Amino acid sequence: MALGEAGACGRLLRWPRVLLFGDSITEYSFQENGWGAYLAERLVRKCDVVNRGISGYNTRWAKLILPRLITESTSGDSIVAVTIFFGANDSALKELNPKQHVPLEEYAANLKSMVQYLKSVDITADRIILITPPPLQESAWEKACLAKGDKLNRCNATTGQYAQACVQVARECGTDVLDLWTLMQNNQDFSSYLSDGLHLSTKGNSFLAAQLWSRLENKLSALPSLLPYWRDVDHTNPEASLL
């Protein structure tokens, strides 16, 4: 049997997808020991974990491109979970970083707009997880800024306001939320979770991965492994097992 004929006989295999949408903390999540790579490993043969992290972006830009990433024809049952992880750039101080800064009220409105868009293309609230920005370790981030000739352009208290707004949007929209800003600061020094005061270290990636997996596991545990285990393939008649 030719390959073309075999393809015509079998149903097209479509892997469900988990979409990670965010800024650089998402873009870097597939690096070694990254939180996105952890999810991909856990979900291999069950889901494709798709990285749509875009370094430097804020919610003002993100809400414009989301409809170009997901449409009604690409969503529905094929997307089993979406993470929306913005705020680290939105919360930049306006006077020192006006390009990335988004006012707090607009940030909340933009998050709500993205959730509403996903719902409009049949991605239900139970499949959406908002993630707050992590806390900011100001002295380490100031060093990173100074190395580029800039002043400290973010502060942790301001980031916390954006995190609270993210939690509130999730509450209003009925989605799950991972309050990374609060969880990382619970009775502990959070600096080890960050590589440069802003982005995640190996420990921070592991922390986020574990927290996120605890939320995703229940949502995705019922998904079957795609294609049979190799020992279960009928080697005398593989078509019967694989098509």
Side-chain angles (χ1 to χ4, degrees):
M1 181 183 288
L3 272 179
E5 293 170 350
C9 293
R11 291 176 292 109
L12 182 64
L13 280 169
R14 293 187 184 275
W15 260 242
R17 291 180 295 151
V18 174
L19 186 79
L20 311 180
F21 187 41
D23 52 34
S24 57
I25 303 175
T26 297
E27 181 176 324
Y28 302 161
S29 72
F30 271 38
Q31 293 179 350
E32 186 176 4
N33 299 314
W35 61 272
Y38 175 96
L39 293 180
E41 182 183 3
R42 288 294 178 279
L43 293 168
V44 68
R45 285 191 51 192
K46 290 193 171 191
C47 297
D48 282 337
V49 179
V50 181
N51 187 334
R52 292 293 179 266
I54 308 162
S55 178
Y57 273 49
N58 56 31
T59 57
R60 182 181 292 164
W61 305 341
K63 75 171 187 178
L64 297 177
I65 60 173
L66 183 59
R68 300 179 64 194
L69 300 178
I70 301 175
T71 64
E72 196 156 14
S73 63
T74 63
S75 61
D77 292 336
S78 67
I79 294 182
V80 292
V82 179
T83 59
I84 300 178
F85 188 4
F86 289 95
N89 297 316
D90 299 69
S91 60
L93 302 175
K94 181 179 180 179
E95 62 273 16
L96 293 171
N97 191 347
K99 185 164 186 174
Q100 290 179 303
H101 169 80
V102 171
L104 184 61
E105 296 76 14
E106 184 189 342
Y107 167 74
N110 290 341
L111 285 179
K112 190 174 294 186
S113 174
M114 286 190 275
V115 171
Q116 290 169 343
Y117 173 76
L118 291 176
K119 290 179 178 179
S120 77
V121 294
D122 296 327
I123 296 175
T124 51
D126 62 308
R127 286 184 274 168
I128 302 168
I129 302 175
L130 301 186
I131 307 176
T132 76
L136 182 84
Q137 216 289 319
E138 292 174 17
S139 59
W141 185 242
E142 184 173 26
K143 289 179 183 176
C145 291
L146 291 172
K148 299 175 184 177
D150 299 326
K151 295 180 180 178
L152 177 64
N153 55 22
R154 289 162 170 80
C155 75
N156 191 39
T158 302
T159 303
Q161 294 175 347
Y162 284 71
Q164 290 169 6
C166 179
V167 171
Q168 182 61 32
V169 168
R171 188 176 296 127
E172 293 172 3
C173 294
T175 71
D176 204 346
V177 64
L178 175 48
D179 185 359
L180 205 57
W181 189 86
T182 298
L183 288 169
M184 282 188 167
Q185 295 184 91
N186 276 343
N187 303 315
Q188 57 194 319
D189 174 17
F190 63 89
S191 59
S192 63
Y193 290 127
L194 304 168
S195 61
D196 57 4
L198 176 70
H199 300 96
L200 301 181
S201 64
T202 296
K203 183 178 177 181
N205 272 281
S206 296
F207 182 86
L208 172 53
Q211 292 289 334
L212 190 53
W213 182 244
S214 71
R215 289 158 172 78
L216 283 174
E217 189 173 14
N218 290 336
K219 301 177 191 294
L220 306 180
S221 59
L223 290 173
S225 287
L226 294 161
L227 295 172
Y229 180 55
W230 72 270
R231 290 188 186 276
D232 297 330
V233 175
D234 180 355
H235 67 284
T236 64
N237 182 17
E239 290 87 349
S241 302
L242 301 177
L243 296 180

